[in-house]
Amino acid sequence: MLDRSWATRKVSIRHWGGQKALCLLSDGNGQWTDEAGQPIAELAGCVDIDLSCTPFTNTLPIRRLAFTPNVPQEIDVAYFSAYELTWRRVRQQYTLLASDADTAVFEYRAGAFVQNITVDANGLVLLYPELFVRERPLAASGIEVEAGK
C-alpha cells in the first residue's frame, strides 16, 4: 500500500493457497514495524521497497524523487523476496540518463548489478532488459474487449 507521495505504508505477501505470510508496516518516513507492532531497526530510513517479482517497485523511487540528469541518487530500500517471504536492507542507485515527453531512461544499480530501465511518462517500466518487457496495451493491438467478458 502506498500513500499519495509514493511512499510505502504496508507490504503484505502471501503465497497463493499457502499458510505462510509476511506483513510489514511503515510510517512512510522510513520507520518499519512487524505485524505485532515491533520496530525493525534494520529497515530504519528505508522509504521505498523492492519486490523481487515485479518491476513496479522501480516506479516508486522514480516517482517519489526529484532527478537531475546524470546525477546519481542513492537510497536504501527494504528488499522483499516474494519466494522466500524474507526482507533485508539493500542500497540502490538511480541515475536519470535521458528523458523526453514520453519516456525516460534510468541507470539502476544494486551492488554489482547494473541495468538501464526505460519507463513511460508515468514512471512505469516499459523495458527492463533480460527481465521484463511491457507488452502493448490491448487497444494498441487492435483487439476489442467488452466489459464483463
Side-chain angles (χ1 to χ4, degrees), residues 47-61:
V47 174
D48 299 300
I49 63 168
D50 189 355
L51 185 57
S52 63
C53 62
T54 178
F56 177 71
T57 50
N58 294 103
T59 298
L60 307 180

Side-chain angles (χ1 to χ4, degrees), residues 26 29-32 42-48 76-78 89-90:
S26 171
N29 294 309
Q31 300 304 313
W32 290 84
E42 183 181 341
L43 298 181
C46 296
V47 174
D48 299 300
D76 288 328
V77 303
R89 181 186 203 95
V90 172

Side-chain angles (χ1 to χ4, degrees), residues 68-82:
T68 300
N70 300 309
V71 177
Q73 294 224 32
E74 283 193 339
I75 57 173
D76 288 328
V77 303
Y79 173 84
F80 293 87
S81 169

Side-chain angles (χ1 to χ4, degrees), residues 18 22 30 42 55 60 62 65 74 86 88 98 102 105 117 120 131-132 136:
L22 173 69
E42 183 181 341
L60 307 180
I62 288 171
L65 300 171
E74 283 193 339
T86 59
R88 62 186 164 94
D102 299 321
V105 178
I117 301 170
D120 67 12
L131 293 176
F132 300 98
R136 294 182 301 165

Side-chain angles (χ1 to χ4, degrees), residues 7-119:
T8 303
R9 302 303 298 263
K10 180 179 181 180
V11 175
S12 183
I13 305 169
R14 178 182 303 277
H15 291 170
W16 187 263
Q19 299 296 320
K20 192 174 176 187
L22 173 69
C23 184
L24 298 184
L25 305 169
S26 171
D27 66 357
N29 294 309
Q31 300 304 313
W32 290 84
T33 60
D34 62 18
E35 241 178 333
Q38 295 300 308
I40 302 172
E42 183 181 341
L43 298 181
C46 296
V47 174
D48 299 300
I49 63 168
D50 189 355
L51 185 57
S52 63
C53 62
T54 178
F56 177 71
T57 50
N58 294 103
T59 298
L60 307 180
I62 288 171
R63 288 295 305 247
R64 191 178 61 75
L65 300 171
F67 287 94
T68 300
N70 300 309
V71 177
Q73 294 224 32
E74 283 193 339
I75 57 173
D76 288 328
V77 303
Y79 173 84
F80 293 87
S81 169
Y83 177 73
E84 297 169 345
L85 296 178
T86 59
W87 52 265
R88 62 186 164 94
R89 181 186 203 95
V90 172
R91 171 71 44 114
Q92 296 181 345
Q93 179 179 289
Y94 288 85
T95 306
L96 175 62
L97 300 178
S99 66
D100 59 31
D102 299 321
T103 61
V105 178
F106 288 86
E107 180 186 80
Y108 166 77
R109 292 180 176 265
F113 181 82
V114 179
Q115 192 59 265
N116 288 353
I117 301 170
T118 303
V119 300

